[in-house]
Amino acid sequence: MKAVITVVGQDAKGIIATVSTKCAQAGANIEEISQSVLKEYFAMIMVIDISGLSLPFTAFVDEMRVLGEANGLDIRTMHEDIFNSMHKI
Amino acid sequence: MINIQDILETINMIKEENLDIRTITMGISLYDCAGDDIDVVCNRIYDKITGCAERLVPVGCEIEKELGIPIINKRVSVTPISLVGGRYSSEDYVKIAHTLDRAASTLGINFIGGYGALVQKGFTNNARNLIDSIPQALSETERVCSSVNVASTKAGINMDAVALMGEIIKKTAYLTKDKESIGCAKLVVFANVPEDNPFMAGAFHGVGEAETVINVGVSGPGVVSSAIRRTGNCDFSTLAETIKKTAFKITRMGQLVATEASRRLGVPFGIVDLSLAPTPAVGDSVAHILESMGLEKCGGHGTTAALALLNDAVKKGGVMASSHVGGLSGAFIPVSEDAGMIDAVSCGALSLEKLEAMTAVCSVGLDMIAIPGDTSAATISGIIADEISIGVANTKTTAVRVIPAYGKGVGDSVEFGGLLGYAPIMKLSDSSCEEFIARGGRIPAPIHSLKN
């Protein structure tokens, strides 16, 4: 089972480290990262494997959101099903 | 592999274009709640609803969080209350309304539908008593929604019911006069009512439905409107194609949520309703979709054609995205719940006559329209008869949800707040239809109802 994390916000040092540390602590394995900085904005999309999560997925979604708020970032974590159902026939 | 463009598109739809699942509605049969003692019946109804739908709200919230898509409402629809067996008086029915309200409050849902009757061909004693109880029931409860089906293409129009509903609507407006006559916003009069509609106020659990069922209503006028704007100056074929593709994506989301909700609740999946349902929020308007096609204002010439194109393309795109499509499935054009419609009425571009024409090519009907408080019951019945005729003659659903705002006239407005929105009072024709409505009886079914 996979999920997609999107991170958007003002560019700052250590954003990738902050997010990936949290993922590691929760038992999520990062499979892919795509990241870019446009002017001062930072945008990152991560695909993670959530089969080994040490906490319920909904709790992980909340923790990532709170982590985002604490760092001035918009962090969304969504199950891959929504993208697959919408874009694949 | 998930494509980055697809991810960004989905997130943009949710974040910027107000894409959401409008409602997960659980249908619950109340047939087995019948009994001789009204208090026993009320207890059975309460226990059945709160038992069956106990996990509806938590499961809805869980899916919302996992998929990252807002699910605005979780609701319950029940068997039309007049069909729950037994012999009940109007006072008994009011007790049942209070029970439904209490069950909805326990579940944490904002509306419960099904306080209604099917009288397209005639009244049973129970149906008559229930309809008589509607004004009191809606004035004493907060979450109960009521609907009455007065006509069908097969049965024709029960004009006695049409005449009666004019009076019931007036009485409901009076009894809820302290709250902008809000009772009328929870009362719909239908022709060809669908029995699996998940949207309020017209939702109920139909007679041929299973014990319990999950129906889902999607939304997304903002997404369609943005897609049209991005397409720019194209011809109608391209325009229709753009709407179809967008509707497909929106509906797939609805299908996913419906399947998940059904699996987690252990309740069979019923249908996905393809309707584009607006809200008063900016960027969530069906009127703005029509305007993005090139109309200066919704209500001007060309509006009916634009709406017909939209409605058809939404269905064509949506139908392939879902295994079972049902409910109303078409664009909604409620006035008070749509920022663009409110604007169009306020500036005089959109009249009641144009709205009536628009309802011939889309679901649902004259919806959430505020009219002067001194409108006679016969005139309201005339409005109902006209609208219902469109449904009967065209073998489609039509409905009337008008609010004769007590003590208000043209130039005033009513403010319901929340999803029900705000509405300027619309002007009606001055000429009387009293004698016409007073005839009573039934208007025969149209010739094309004889298909066998």
Side-chain angles (χ1 to χ4, degrees):
Chain A
M1 275 202 304
K2 288 174 191 170
V4 174
I5 301 178
T6 55
V7 184
V8 181
Q10 287 273 328
D11 191 23
K13 286 176 193 159
I15 295 180
I16 298 182
T18 310
V19 177
S20 51
T21 305
K22 191 79 183 174
C23 287
Q25 283 167 355
N29 186 34
I30 299 170
E31 296 196 336
E32 199 180 329
I33 299 184
S34 158
Q35 171 256 309
S36 64
V37 179
L38 192 66
K39 291 187 180 166
E40 71 272 31
Y41 284 101
F42 174 91
M44 173 169 74
I45 296 174
M46 280 175 139
V47 177
I48 56 168
D49 185 334
I50 51 171
S51 357
L53 271 189
S54 56
L55 67 174
F57 181 58
T58 48
F60 178 66
V61 171
D62 278 336
E63 287 199 5
M64 293 307 286
R65 184 178 48 79
V66 171
L67 179 76
E69 282 163 5
N71 291 280
L73 299 164
D74 178 20
I75 303 186
R76 282 168 190 256
T77 312
M78 297 156 83
H79 199 281
E80 66 167 340
D81 281 355
I82 190 164
F83 305 104
N84 289 335
S85 72
M86 202 181 216
H87 300 283
K88 284 184 187 168
I89 296 179
Chain B
M1 200 58 251
I2 311 170
N3 179 312
I4 288 186
Q5 284 310 318
D6 293 343
I7 294 175
L8 293 176
E9 185 186 0
T10 303
I11 289 174
N12 192 48
M13 282 181 182
I14 295 169
K15 208 174 155 190
E16 309 294 336
E17 298 167 354
N18 295 316
L19 177 60
D20 56 50
I21 300 295
R22 183 51 45 83
T23 180
I24 300 182
T25 303
M26 183 190 258
I28 302 173
S29 164
L30 296 185
Y31 284 134
D32 56 1
C33 297
D36 292 330
D37 183 299
I38 186 64
D39 294 321
V40 172
V41 173
C42 285
N43 286 339
R44 283 181 187 156
I45 290 177
Y46 180 84
D47 291 344
K48 177 126 194 214
I49 295 172
T50 51
C52 290
E54 191 181 12
R55 289 170 54 238
L56 177 65
V57 173
V59 164
C61 294
E62 193 179 280
I63 296 173
E64 182 172 20
K65 193 164 274 178
E66 284 185 22
L67 296 179
I69 170 99
I71 301 172
I72 309 298
N73 298 302
K74 296 93 188 168
R75 291 168 171 169
V76 167
S77 64
V78 296
T79 305
I81 293 298
S82 66
L83 299 182
V84 178
R87 292 169 65 181
Y88 308 120
S89 64
S90 291
E91 292 73 34
D92 292 339
Y93 279 122
V94 173
K95 275 190 180 176
I96 296 181
H98 281 284
T99 306
L100 295 175
D101 206 33
R102 204 156 48 86
S105 161
T106 305
L107 293 173
I109 57 176
N110 61 352
F111 286 127
I112 183 164
Y115 192 76
L118 308 172
V119 294
Q120 57 268 31
K121 213 161 180 186
F123 299 96
T124 60
N125 292 338
N126 274 356
R128 170 76 71 167
N129 290 343
L130 182 127
I131 292 174
D132 285 341
S133 77
I134 289 174
Q136 192 188 346
L138 293 184
S139 68
E140 292 177 4
T141 58
E142 251 181 68
R143 300 161 202 249
V144 175
C145 292
S146 180
S147 60
V148 177
N149 190 60
V150 297
S152 73
T153 301
K154 270 280 179 208
I157 307 175
N158 178 352
M159 286 301 287
D160 292 326
V162 169
L164 178 61
M165 287 315 294
E167 285 165 23
I168 295 291
I169 289 172
K170 279 284 279 187
K171 212 180 278 177
T172 307
Y174 178 74
L175 289 181
T176 53
K177 62 181 189 299
D178 298 336
K179 292 184 193 157
E180 308 267 44
S181 298
I182 197 170
C184 299
K186 295 181 277 180
L187 173 57
V188 199
V189 183
F190 273 106
N192 291 324
V193 67
E195 306 208 348
D196 50 8
N197 159 29
F199 288 103
M200 296 295 169
F204 67 87
H205 187 68
V207 289
E209 297 284 324
E211 192 67 21
T212 51
V213 72
I214 286 291
N215 297 324
V216 165
V218 296
S219 182
V223 182
V224 176
S225 178
S226 303
I228 292 174
R229 270 198 299 275
R230 272 196 302 274
T231 317
N233 190 18
C234 61
D235 70 355
F236 286 111
S237 304
T238 316
L239 187 63
E241 199 60 26
T242 305
I243 298 170
K244 269 161 64 179
K245 284 182 185 158
T246 312
F248 176 83
K249 290 176 183 171
I250 295 172
T251 311
R252 288 282 280 196
M253 192 109 76
Q255 174 74 26
L256 172 66
V257 169
T259 317
E260 273 303 302
S262 152
R263 188 178 61 80
R264 292 181 195 200
L265 289 164
V267 170
F269 158 63
I271 55 98
V272 173
D273 188 316
L274 305 179
S275 302
L276 284 181
T279 69
V282 176
D284 210 12
S285 154
V286 170
H288 288 159
I289 300 181
L290 306 179
E291 289 169 6
S292 67
M293 289 187 200
L295 300 171
E296 188 186 342
K297 263 292 173 219
C298 174
H301 299 294
T303 302
T304 312
L307 183 59
L309 183 156
L310 170 69
N311 203 38
D312 183 63
V314 165
K315 284 182 209 166
K316 285 175 178 164
V319 80
M320 188 180 153
S322 171
S323 50
H324 297 281
V325 173
L328 293 158
S329 286
F332 290 175
I333 50 167
V335 172
S336 78
E337 299 171 350
D338 185 312
M341 292 282 175
I342 297 169
D343 275 355
V345 171
S346 302
C347 75
L350 180 58
S351 67
L352 193 70
E353 291 73 18
K354 190 65 180 177
L355 276 165
E356 192 179 302
M358 289 162 76
T359 64
V361 299
C362 78
S363 63
V364 175
L366 295 172
D367 196 17
M368 290 302 285
I369 294 172
I371 56 175
D374 60 3
T375 309
S376 72
T379 299
I380 296 174
S381 296
I383 296 172
I384 296 172
D386 283 347
E387 185 57 36
I388 266 30
S389 302
I390 292 176
V392 169
N394 294 298
T395 325
K396 72 185 284 293
T397 304
T398 49
V400 174
R401 183 162 52 147
V402 291
I403 300 108
Y406 188 82
K408 298 202 173 183
V410 176
D412 296 331
S413 60
V414 285
E415 173 90 54
F416 300 119
L419 280 178
L420 296 175
Y422 148 93
I425 309 273
M426 294 189 79
K427 190 180 173 318
L428 302 177
S429 162
D430 295 330
S431 71
S432 164
C433 59
E434 205 133 344
E435 278 183 40
F436 178 74
I437 296 299
R439 284 177 183 273
R442 285 154 53 196
I443 294 182
I447 185 71
H448 56 258
S449 68
L450 302 173
K451 284 187 172 165
N452 293 343

